[in-house]
Amino acid sequence: MSSENKKFKVLVTHPEVSQEGIDLLSHQCEVIICQAAPPVLAEILEKSKGVDALLWGNNKPLSAAVLDAAGPQLKAISTMSAGIDYVDVAEVKRRKIPLGHAPIVMNNAVADTAVGLLLAAARRFHEGRLKIETDNWESGHRNWMLGQDVRDSVVGFFGFGGIAQSVAKRLSGFDIDSVLYTTRRRVSEDIEKEYNAKKVDFDTMLSQSDFVIIASPLTKETAGIFNATAFGKMKKTAVLVNIARGGIVNQQDLYEALKTNQIFAAGLDVMTPEPLPSNDPLLSLPNVVLLPHLGSATQRTRADMSATAAHNVLRGLAGEPMVSPAY
Ligand SMILES: O=CC(=O)O
């Protein structure tokens, strides 16, 4: 099909969106791709003008300004992420524009990252490396650098959706004792049975878990919920893992809790701000393992995310339900 015959224009807001999604769109649409990486809002606003759909390939705020710049013919939007905290969902809804996102395809990659962080934090990998770097390898001591066992542990999840369940599946291979989870809605009995999981309130999950894994969206209700009070309820031996959003944690309070050994360690793939400046106090702590938001960063996962987003856009343009609707 030549571009004149293509009915719809789609703007892809990042030049590094994997080719899989671009190819899918190109069969049926005229595809415009932003050139700036990292993305620049001015370019997005300019190129949005008159498009029928947006494949939002970055996590810049998707606000009313963008929707206004695009114009009233805008028929579909998809992000390429699971979390959509940077989207003004109320505004998109008000304009009755279908919005898609790309969860599920990233469950395995993010769960792998979570397990990696959990083991690294529990077994003090970062601190161990620092000991070598500073010539402090104390080979003569039996009880040096002891960590926390994963076997027989109680693993608590804050949020128990697809990513959390993929973590639970992996951890069942580590012979954990059981899973506690805190969510608004209970998951099915089958899922509870599969992971030996029980829904409990936030305080119970905090106080009874050996590992606490944050796997929930960032919302008004979850913002900063992991604060000094929450850390005060956790076991001194507990390990915190965050693969969701940095804003769910009060980072200053977490710093204090780790510094004063109120909790044992933390493994964070997400933080505030991102990128975290190299002089942030968190980097001075031996008991925190930090990753620069690598949860879904595998080639296959990114390709699957772009394909999901493209399918969402194509469905939205066809007036059909999206494969992964965000609401
Ligand atoms: O953080 C990544 C995502 O929400 O996809």
Side-chain angles (χ1 to χ4, degrees):
M1 225 190 281
S2 75
S3 81
E4 303 85 72
N5 295 333
K6 292 180 180 173
K7 219 167 123 191
F8 296 119
K9 270 191 202 167
V10 181
L11 178 68
V12 175
T13 65
H14 198 300
E16 291 160 8
V17 167
S18 310
Q19 197 57 38
E20 281 75 2
I22 309 285
D23 287 348
L24 283 166
L25 292 172
S26 300
H27 288 133
Q28 300 176 39
C29 307
E30 184 186 340
V31 181
I32 304 158
I33 304 176
C34 286
Q35 295 307 307
V40 172
L41 189 60
E43 185 191 14
I44 297 175
L45 291 176
E46 193 213 310
K47 292 193 170 156
S48 296
K49 231 169 270 165
V51 300
D52 299 287
L54 293 170
L55 193 159
W56 201 253
N58 51 270
N59 56 5
K60 287 215 164 297
L62 205 173
S63 62
V66 175
L67 306 176
D68 286 341
Q73 77 300 327
L74 188 64
K75 294 168 196 61
I77 303 174
S78 182
T79 73
M80 242 186 75
S81 57
I84 52 166
D85 41 283
Y86 52 86
V87 181
D88 187 341
V89 177
E91 189 56 34
V92 177
K93 255 190 194 169
R94 194 181 68 72
R95 298 177 190 221
K96 300 197 171 53
I97 303 170
L99 174 69
H101 64 147
I104 305 171
V105 289
M106 67 181 59
N107 288 352
N108 287 324
V110 180
D112 292 347
T113 303
V115 172
L117 284 171
L118 182 151
L119 292 174
R123 299 298 304 274
R124 307 169 75 166
F125 286 5
H126 174 63
E127 190 180 352
R129 185 195 161 103
L130 294 176
K131 296 285 186 201
I132 299 172
E133 278 180 8
T134 55
D135 287 320
N136 280 309
W137 185 333
E138 296 176 27
S139 56
H141 297 284
R142 293 294 308 161
N143 294 330
W144 184 65
M145 288 286 291
L146 304 185
Q148 305 299 332
D149 273 303
V150 181
R151 76 179 156 132
D152 297 328
S153 65
V154 174
V155 180
F157 287 93
F158 183 67
F160 202 53
I163 291 174
Q165 288 169 34
S166 300
V167 177
K169 180 175 170 188
R170 283 156 175 71
L171 291 181
S172 68
F174 287 80
D175 302 326
I176 62 171
D177 176 79
S178 57
V179 163
L180 300 176
Y181 70 93
T182 301
T183 54
R184 267 187 303 180
R185 256 171 281 137
R186 196 177 157 189
V187 299
S188 72
E189 259 177 57
D190 284 351
I191 292 175
E192 287 191 344
K193 225 186 235 161
E194 186 171 349
Y195 301 118
N196 192 18
K198 188 170 153 206
K199 181 174 177 335
V200 292
D201 61 36
F202 188 48
D203 286 358
T204 306
M205 187 275 290
L206 290 174
S207 62
Q208 294 187 6
S209 299
D210 300 297
F211 295 92
V212 173
I213 300 175
I214 305 176
S216 83
L218 172 63
T219 63
K220 274 203 274 314
E221 290 75 35
T222 64
I225 192 168
F226 279 82
N227 55 16
T229 312
F231 299 129
K233 290 177 180 154
M234 287 171 65
K235 296 183 181 181
K236 268 184 133 24
T237 50
V239 171
L240 179 77
V241 172
N242 189 1
I243 41 79
R245 285 291 182 267
I248 299 169
V249 172
N250 179 319
Q251 208 157 280
Q252 179 61 35
D253 290 358
L254 175 62
Y255 171 82
E256 292 300 330
L258 288 165
K259 174 110 186 134
T260 58
N261 298 316
Q262 196 168 9
I263 65 170
F264 185 75
L268 311 176
D269 187 41
V270 288
M271 52 216 77
T272 310
E274 291 182 12
L276 190 73
S278 60
N279 64 354
D280 189 277
L282 271 185
L283 282 144
S284 68
L285 296 174
N287 54 347
V288 58
V289 180
L290 296 170
L291 294 179
H293 205 145
L294 295 179
S296 65
T298 72
Q299 290 188 355
R300 183 172 163 197
T301 302
R302 288 288 160 82
D304 290 348
M305 288 158 73
S306 89
T308 302
H311 282 302
N312 282 335
V313 163
L314 292 172
R315 292 270 191 97
L317 288 172
E320 292 166 7
M322 290 185 164
V323 281
S324 292
Y327 60 78

